[in-house]
Amino acid sequence: MIPANTRGPGGIVVRYGDTDAAHVLSVYADLRCPYCKRMELGLGAVMERAADDGRFAVDHHFGTFIDDSAGGSGSLEALAALGAAADEGQKPFMHYLRALYADQPSEDVDAFADRDTLLRLADEVQALHTDAFRQKVAERTYLPWAAQVAAAFGTSGVRSTPTVLIDRTPVPVIGPTGYAVTPEAFLAGTAPR
């Protein structure tokens, strides 16, 4: 099965925004990556608003390499739950993504491997209060899809997260202090060329 609001072979990219957008912001991340959390908490709402305004669409590419390096399966399990959120719509996907990052455990704690934790975090997103969503998370419906998404990330050539590109041109999202750049700096970096 492939979740809604995905693109590419096997639905390996989750799209937020206009399917026919002239510009595409490609975001490469791992749900257990602490720098990805910093990017999301600092710039996630900015990306969402810019996509809502038609500036670009956001294509999400997810890796699960922290599962390999730190041990566990939390990145993969959280990604499968995000697939179930994508079925509920673009906004539920974005809001669940933000909820996951807001409550991200430290890298050495594999809390996202626990489906009860994933469902508890989904309680923060009104649109995910559905039996269909809960059943897909509980039954791990999108685990095979999540594995395909992670495999595609592995062959993408991207070697670190977060990596963000606007129309294939790199955009800085983490500043020298290790935290997200300002919204103004980010938006300047995504201005049409």
Side-chain angles (χ1 to χ4, degrees), residues 159-181:
R159 295 290 166 245
S160 64
T161 59
T163 292
V164 178
L165 312 170
I166 184 73
D167 299 331
R168 299 188 188 98
T169 300
V171 177
V173 290
I174 299 293
T177 62
Y179 288 87
V181 299

Side-chain angles (χ1 to χ4, degrees), residues 77-90:
E77 294 280 355
L79 178 52
L82 264 177
D87 271 349
E88 300 297 321
Q90 289 189 352

Side-chain angles (χ1 to χ4, degrees), residues 14 31 62-64 74-84 142 145-147 149-150:
V14 183
L31 294 163
F62 292 100
T64 59
S75 293
L76 189 68
E77 294 280 355
L79 178 52
L82 264 177
Y142 287 125
W145 167 80
V149 171

